[in-house]
């Protein structure tokens, strides 16, 4: 398990390039809180002055990501992520929230798929998706500068990833809740939930969703959703198979039963112990892209 620092100010090593990204998407940028920011031409507002900054990282499928969250009065306002998909590309992502609800998803990335759009074989993709009351409102997608419509899969993925980002932040709450009114506090630690490669393989690696059930237990749902893999720290993972409609559990096996309700899973052990598992990572590799101009 990797332990990452939570730092109150002065912790944006990639801010300079990211401000340009956000300005291009029309999204307020993250900024340092240690001293007033000097406004530059075209720069957006300083949304983190007086906010608490929390940092961490996670792994989801082929994606490895670092994240930074700006929290004000105990509520997240912005969560920025820097993702690497290995050979599939990379992405910078910003979630904007209001009272815990996703308001905007912005992405600037490089993806493989479809017809190559440049000499290096990557397509340049930008997504700007707006939401209201938990529902998609409108959005814009460009591929190599050509406007197209966001797909339903991309809209759904943005919502899932926002839920996962909030849950990761919630799991780190003990590290920052007592100091949420301070803009500079001591280094502490945020745990990372990373299923083993074996658990991912059993679930059907590629596009899997990771659920956190406790500090020592998580579940992995493969893209096909035909099996759920439960892994407890220091124990081999076990597989629960999808059950037919009408069965007591949605997934069952190896002494466990699981019921899925929306973005949560209720996991029951043979002893009677029950746990609620919530999504902590849902960032699958970039989807295939259409040929240029489509």
């Amino acid at each position: 398990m990797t332990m990452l620092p939570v730092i109150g100010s002065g912790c944006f090593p990639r801010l300079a390039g990211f401000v340009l990204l956000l300005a291009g998407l029309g999204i307020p940028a993250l900024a340092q809180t240690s001293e007033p920011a000097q406004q530059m031409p075209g720069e957006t507002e300083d949304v983190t002055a007086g906010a608490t900054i929390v940092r961490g990282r996670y792994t989801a499928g082929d994606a490895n990501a670092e994240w930074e969250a700006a929290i004000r009065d105990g509520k997240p306002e912005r969560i920025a992520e820097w993702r690497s998909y290995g050979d599939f590309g990379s992405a910078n992502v910003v979630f904007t929230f209001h009272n815990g609800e996703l308001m905007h998803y912005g992405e600037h990335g490089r993806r493989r798929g479809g017809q190559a759009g440049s000499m290096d074989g990557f397509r340049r993709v930008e997504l700007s998706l707006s939401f209201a009351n938990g529902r998609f409102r409108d959005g814009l997608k460009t591929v190599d500068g050509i406007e197209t419509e966001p797909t339903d899969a991309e809209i759904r993925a943005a919502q899932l990833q926002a839920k996962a980002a909030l849950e990761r932040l919630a799991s780190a709450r003990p590290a920052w809740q007592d100091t949420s009114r301070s803009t500079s506090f001591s280094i502490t630690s945020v745990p990372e939930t990373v299923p083993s490669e074996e658990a991912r393989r059993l679930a059907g690696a590629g596009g899997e969703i990771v659920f956190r059930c406790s500090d020592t237990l998580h579940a992995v749902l493969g893209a096909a959703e035909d099996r759920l893999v439960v892994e407890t720290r220091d124990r081999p993972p076990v597989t629960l198979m999808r059950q037919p409609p009408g069965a007591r559990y949605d997934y069952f096996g190896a002494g466990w039963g699981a019921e899925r309700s929306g973005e949560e899973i209720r996991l029951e052990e043979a002893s009677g112990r029950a746990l609620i598992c919530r999504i902590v990572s849902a960032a699958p590799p970039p989807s295939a892209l259409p040929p240029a101009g489509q």
Side-chain angles (χ1 to χ4, degrees), residues 13 27 43 62 67 69 86 92 104 106 133 152 171 182-183 202 258 275:
I27 307 170
E43 192 174 19
D62 291 329
W67 57 268
N92 295 340
H104 191 271
N133 299 319
D152 290 341
S171 68
S182 171
T183 59
L202 290 173
L275 300 167

Side-chain angles (χ1 to χ4, degrees), residues 5 9 11 18 49 93 110 120-121 127 135 138 146 150 155 157 160 162 180 222 225 241 249 251 269 286 291:
S9 61
C11 58
F18 204 52
V93 174
R110 299 165 66 248
D120 61 8
L127 279 171
R135 296 184 178 182
D138 54 56
I146 300 173
I155 294 168
L160 280 177
S180 59
E225 300 190 6
M241 300 305 299
Y249 297 107
Y251 298 90
E269 201 172 9

Side-chain angles (χ1 to χ4, degrees), residues 12-270:
F12 293 90
R14 308 184 188 182
L15 177 63
F18 204 52
V19 166
L20 297 178
L21 155 69
L22 299 177
L25 291 176
I27 307 170
L30 290 175
Q32 296 184 15
T33 62
S34 55
E35 58 185 49
Q38 295 182 350
Q39 288 295 105
M40 301 295 290
E43 192 174 19
T44 52
E45 66 174 312
D46 177 3
V47 301
T48 62
T52 297
I53 305 304
V54 183
R55 307 179 68 213
R57 68 175 54 172
Y58 69 90
T59 300
D62 291 329
N64 292 287
E66 298 177 9
W67 57 268
E68 295 178 341
I71 304 165
R72 194 186 311 277
D73 298 324
K75 296 181 180 180
E77 292 189 346
R78 300 287 190 276
I79 298 179
E81 297 188 1
W82 294 269
R83 301 175 183 167
S84 171
Y85 298 108
D87 293 338
F88 292 98
S90 61
N92 295 340
V93 174
V94 172
F95 305 96
T96 304
F97 301 95
H98 179 67
N99 289 332
E101 292 287 342
L102 177 64
M103 300 297 291
H104 191 271
Y105 173 93
E107 176 183 341
H108 178 81
R110 299 165 66 248
R111 306 185 191 177
R112 288 193 187 277
Q115 176 181 315
S118 62
M119 293 297 292
D120 61 8
F122 287 97
R123 308 290 294 279
R124 272 60 181 177
V125 180
E126 292 190 8
L127 279 171
S128 179
L129 310 176
S130 296
F131 298 84
N133 299 319
R135 296 184 178 182
F136 175 68
R137 187 175 63 186
D138 54 56
L140 177 66
K141 174 183 177 181
T142 64
V143 180
D144 293 332
I146 300 173
E147 293 187 7
T148 184
E149 292 293 322
T151 65
D152 290 341
E154 288 168 326
I155 294 168
R156 180 58 178 157
Q159 293 173 312
L160 280 177
Q161 292 163 27
K163 289 179 182 293
L166 289 175
E167 185 59 29
R168 278 191 296 273
L169 190 59
S171 68
R173 181 177 296 273
W176 55 264
Q177 61 181 354
D178 294 335
T179 53
S180 59
R181 295 184 181 181
S182 171
T183 59
S184 59
F185 54 96
S186 301
I187 294 177
T188 183
S189 299
V190 176
E192 178 188 5
T193 300
V194 182
S196 67
E197 291 299 321
E198 177 65 8
R200 294 182 184 279
R201 185 189 66 79
L202 290 173
E208 65 269 23
I209 299 175
V210 178
F211 296 81
R212 178 180 179 274
C213 308
S214 71
D215 289 340
T216 60
L217 189 151
H218 48 260
V220 186
L221 185 64
E225 300 190 6
D226 60 345
R227 67 196 69 186
L228 181 73
V229 177
V230 175
E231 185 172 47
T232 304
R233 186 184 300 167
D234 301 327
R235 295 183 183 178
V238 296
T239 302
L240 288 63
M241 300 305 299
R242 179 80 185 188
Q243 301 299 295
R248 177 180 177 183
Y249 297 107
D250 296 317
Y251 298 90
F252 185 79
W256 295 92
E259 299 174 79
R260 186 176 182 184
S261 177
E263 311 310 334
E264 294 183 349
I265 286 178
R266 186 176 189 274
L267 188 63
E268 291 186 9
E269 201 172 9

